[in-house]
Amino acid sequence: MRQRTRYDDAYYENSLGRRHWFTDNEAKHELRWRQILAMVDPQPDDVVLELGCATGRHTRRMAPFCSRVTGVDSSDAAIARARASIGAYDDRCSYVCADAADLGFLADSSIDKAMAIDFIEHVPDAALRNILAEVRRVLRPGGLLAVFTPCASHYVERLKARGMILKQLPGHVAVRDLAMCRPLFERAGLPIARAWYSPSTYPAFGALDRILNPVPWIGPFFRFRLCFVARKAG
């Protein structure tokens, strides 16, 4: 049985906060950010919510592109680090320590866009259903939820799931593929409108992902990260 991950200072210092030239390099972060912008398509008047904001990296980066952005995380350690960080657009950012399944501090239909970046893989199905219900409540009609998450069909995730060669990352208790996500989001009233795959940024491996992910039969093994946009009916 996998031990429950503690999202405390040690986690943010030793896991999420540790950079590595190969496994956690700047190219990885920049490709992810480009995918985030493509999904969210932020506009100057948008009010944006980030679920599972951790230390606020993407919340701060989104701030110049929208009217207001709020980061939510259930970890006191994460929110403390987010609030301690300084950015040029801090007047547009706020951080709330709360469970994403209980967004009581937000009114109905008060958010234009929400984003869940490297978040839903930390959340089992039952909890995710509750979170999606809350997201639908706070989204305005026609609002969207952008999701970036590991794809369970990729060969790296298959190896991790079987404990072969690679270890699963702390807290990744629910890595899914698109087929797993579609019914969960559909039943929550947030059908997936657009979806695509982001390749690995590791040299050579990324080229394989880009070339092979559209190929029938073997393509699913080369879908590294899943990007999709779910929408509330307008």
Side-chain angles (χ1 to χ4, degrees), residues 15 46 51-52 73 75 92-93 121 129 141 161 163 166 170 201:
S15 295
D46 281 344
L51 305 167
D73 203 287
S75 165
R92 300 184 189 181
C93 295
E121 64 270 21
R129 283 191 283 269
L166 301 172
T201 55

Side-chain angles (χ1 to χ4, degrees), residues 29-98:
H29 288 275
E30 289 308 308
L31 176 58
R32 177 170 52 195
W33 178 243
R34 292 195 297 273
Q35 302 288 20
I36 293 169
L37 289 178
M39 290 187 291
V40 177
D41 186 26
Q43 302 300 311
D45 293 333
D46 281 344
V47 177
V48 178
L49 173 69
E50 183 178 11
L51 305 167
C53 70
T55 58
R57 177 185 180 93
H58 302 119
T59 305
R60 288 189 299 276
R61 291 195 76 171
M62 186 58 65
F65 301 96
C66 63
S67 172
R68 189 169 76 254
V69 56
T70 299
V72 177
D73 203 287
S74 62
S75 165
D76 291 326
I79 293 299
R81 285 171 177 253
R83 289 173 175 164
S85 299
I86 298 173
Y89 292 85
D90 283 349
D91 57 323
R92 300 184 189 181
C93 295
S94 61
Y95 300 98
V96 178
C97 188

Side-chain angles (χ1 to χ4, degrees), residues 1 9 17 41 103 117 122 128 148 164 174 190 194 209 214:
M1 183 175 179
D9 280 318
D41 186 26
L103 303 174
I117 311 304
H122 294 261
L128 182 59
F148 182 95
M164 298 170 60
L190 294 168
R194 294 189 296 134
D209 289 344

Side-chain angles (χ1 to χ4, degrees), residues 31 49 93 101 113 118 123 129 136 140 142 148 154 162 166 186 188 210 214:
L31 176 58
L49 173 69
C93 295
K113 294 167 181 177
D118 287 325
V123 184
R129 283 191 283 269
R136 188 181 186 282
R140 293 185 175 125
F148 182 95
H154 193 270
R162 291 160 178 78
L166 301 172
E186 183 82 34
R210 285 188 291 273

